[in-house]
Amino acid sequence: MAKTSVYQLDGTVPVAQAVPFGLQHVLAMFVSNITPIIILANVVGVPADLQGTLIQNCMIIAGIGTLIQLYPLWRIGSRLPVVMGISFTFLSLAISIGTTMGMGTVIGAVIVGGIFEGILGLFVKYWIKLVPPIVAATVVTAIGFSLLPIGANSFAGGQGSADFGDVHNWIVGSITLLTCLLCQVFGRGFFRSLSVLMGLIVGYIVALFMGMVDYSALNGIGFISLPTLLPFKPEFHAGAILSVIAIYMVSATETIGDTSALCAGALKRQPSNKELGGSIACDGFVSSVAGLFGCTPITSFSQNVGLAAMSGVVNRFTIATGAIIMILGGIFPAVGSVLTTIPQAVLGGCTIMMFGSILFAGFDMIAKCGFGNRNMVIVSVALSIGLGFTSASQMFDIFPQIIRIIFAENCVAAVFLLAVLLNLLLPKEK
């Protein structure tokens, strides 16, 4: 392939140039990628030695999924700079199934459900008309809103941490955010595009001098460790499978939103049906592979969509270097362990602006659809009910558990369903 720029989708760039941009993507999503499996393993009671194996497997699966999105296998993959990682969407249901029926049942449902979503992606042309541009724009906006509390919690030290909201988290988070802003506003060329990495480096150094970096996890780390296949024996139960398939539908919705936001924010166009279908198919089939390695489902990462939109870096070869770093982090445990030392406040300082860029992309998509009365009703009703009701999730306590899991804990699902229904039911404008 011909040499090209990091701001162009295709072609190669020098490896020395690609690595820092790829590393920036890994740092933006690394903690979020391994956190779901850590929480699940602790709640379900997975042995400590097996937890380390699962973390390694998650990193490898995230890298493989990202490479398939970048360089598709047949119709699986979007050929877009989509970064994949372990989804939070499935966490509460996985905990519920894992604590009552065991991890084997969780894995069995993940494998079957992933195949279902993968097939859904292959036949996207038969149902994608249900998701016109105004629906996609509403979902992207909802994703942006839903991510803001995550960035704020990280900024304060991480939800549930003993030092949540302490002054040192405020200091480190603010310095990190200020560094990102200064690089973004006053930087030029690559320096501007690497604003998040610059913020991470400066924030990490400040946190190091403030005694906030813990290297204890590096003690006793081995040099190399290969992934473990089938750490849990899959078990197949109809109820668990149907519940997980329902959440896979939500994941497909988020993937549509992420892919649309990426194309709108970074590529300045709408995604094609082929790209949407490939993205969803990768989401599903790679999730089934994740199940074989004891991991919960994989999905596109919104924070990396925000990073691509903010930096303008969309080159597939460049993003692939990040995917390779993830795979190496899984094979060489020391790599992953070093990345886990990044304090939450540093990550929060970086992600605040990235999440805001997704929100901006949603607004831009809505503007391109027009501000007619019909679009106003779809966007305002879907967002106000979807975001408002899920912020008061106790409202859903009268409903069955599966309804609570899908809607009470995931505003994107509620917004998507309402936007689709309103688009179908409201009369077309003349």
Side-chain angles (χ1 to χ4, degrees):
M1 292 187 292
K3 291 290 176 67
T4 187
S5 164
V6 294
Y7 307 109
Q8 293 176 299
L9 187 63
D10 297 317
T12 62
V13 299
V15 173
Q17 188 183 108
V19 167
F21 289 105
L23 180 60
Q24 183 173 238
H25 272 278
V26 174
L27 295 174
M29 56 79 70
F30 180 78
V31 173
S32 296
N33 178 52
I34 63 175
T35 299
I37 201 67
I38 292 174
I39 296 173
L40 175 62
N42 285 329
V43 174
V44 176
V46 175
D49 57 336
L50 187 53
Q51 287 188 31
T53 298
L54 295 179
I55 291 173
Q56 290 178 240
N57 288 358
C58 285
M59 295 172 64
I60 292 172
I61 288 297
I64 292 173
T66 302
L67 286 176
I68 292 175
Q69 284 284 22
L70 296 167
Y71 300 100
L73 299 175
W74 184 49
R75 290 162 56 192
I76 303 172
S78 61
R79 205 172 169 275
L80 294 172
V82 176
V83 177
M84 305 292 285
I86 303 300
S87 174
F88 269 97
T89 305
F90 295 80
L91 182 58
S92 57
L93 179 59
I95 289 174
S96 176
I97 296 173
T99 52
T100 56
M101 306 176 74
M103 281 297 295
T105 303
V106 173
I107 297 308
V110 166
I111 293 171
V112 175
I115 294 172
F116 173 84
E117 188 192 8
I119 294 173
L120 200 66
L122 294 180
F123 293 94
V124 69
K125 66 179 181 181
Y126 297 106
W127 57 268
I128 197 60
K129 290 181 180 179
L130 295 173
V131 192
I134 189 60
V135 173
T138 308
V139 171
V140 170
T141 305
I143 290 173
F145 274 118
S146 70
L147 289 170
L148 297 181
I150 297 175
N153 283 325
S154 291
F155 190 99
Q159 186 68 48
S161 63
D163 61 349
F164 187 83
D166 280 359
V167 65
H168 56 269
N169 287 325
W170 276 94
I171 293 172
V172 170
S174 298
I175 291 174
T176 304
L177 175 59
L178 181 62
T179 303
C180 292
L181 285 171
L182 291 174
C183 292
Q184 186 69 23
V185 174
F186 298 106
R188 294 290 182 269
F190 291 157
F191 190 68
R192 179 180 180 180
S193 299
L194 287 171
S195 60
V196 172
L197 183 60
M198 294 296 104
L200 277 163
I201 293 172
V202 172
Y204 190 89
I205 293 172
V206 173
L208 186 64
F209 279 104
M210 294 180 67
M212 296 171 60
V213 181
D214 181 13
Y215 291 113
S216 61
L218 300 180
N219 295 330
I221 295 294
F223 178 70
I224 189 170
S225 179
L226 297 178
T228 302
L229 186 65
L230 289 176
F232 307 103
K233 181 181 178 182
E235 299 178 17
F236 303 97
H237 297 273
I241 291 171
L242 291 175
S243 298
V244 170
I245 283 177
I247 308 299
Y248 267 113
M249 299 287 284
V250 177
S251 181
T253 300
E254 293 177 334
T255 299
I256 291 172
D258 286 339
T259 307
S260 300
L262 176 68
C263 288
L267 300 176
K268 310 303 179 185
R269 62 173 175 81
Q270 293 294 319
S272 66
N273 288 352
K274 181 179 179 181
E275 289 169 336
L276 286 173
S279 191
I280 295 169
C282 180
D283 211 42
F285 289 127
V286 177
S287 290
S288 293
V289 176
L292 296 176
F293 287 90
C295 301
T296 47
I298 198 171
T299 192
S300 55
F301 260 42
S302 299
Q303 49 262 61
N304 295 88
V305 172
L307 178 57
M310 191 174 74
S311 68
V313 177
V314 295
N315 180 255
R316 292 188 300 142
F317 177 82
T318 298
I319 309 302
T321 62
I324 293 170
I325 290 171
M326 282 190 278
I327 294 173
L328 292 176
I331 296 175
F332 298 95
V335 176
S337 297
V338 169
L339 295 179
T340 60
T341 65
I342 301 173
Q344 282 286 333
V346 176
L347 295 171
C350 294
T351 55
I352 287 287
M353 191 163 62
M354 293 190 323
F355 293 164
S357 67
I358 297 176
L359 199 58
F360 181 82
F363 293 154
D364 184 57
M365 292 170 69
I366 292 172
K368 289 177 179 176
C369 293
F371 293 103
N373 187 63
R374 185 176 187 273
N375 286 349
M376 183 275 292
V377 172
I378 291 174
V379 174
S380 59
V381 173
L383 288 178
S384 59
I385 293 179
L387 296 172
F389 282 22
T390 51
S391 67
S393 57
Q394 295 84 355
M395 295 173 60
F396 292 87
D397 287 349
I398 64 171
F399 294 100
Q401 183 187 29
I402 185 63
I403 300 297
R404 296 199 304 270
I405 290 173
I406 294 175
F407 295 109
E409 301 178 15
N410 194 313
C411 68
V412 176
V415 169
F416 174 73
L417 180 62
L418 287 165
V420 168
L421 290 176
L422 288 167
N423 180 67
L424 293 174
L425 296 175
L426 291 178
K428 304 291 183 184
E429 285 184 324
K430 294 183 180 179

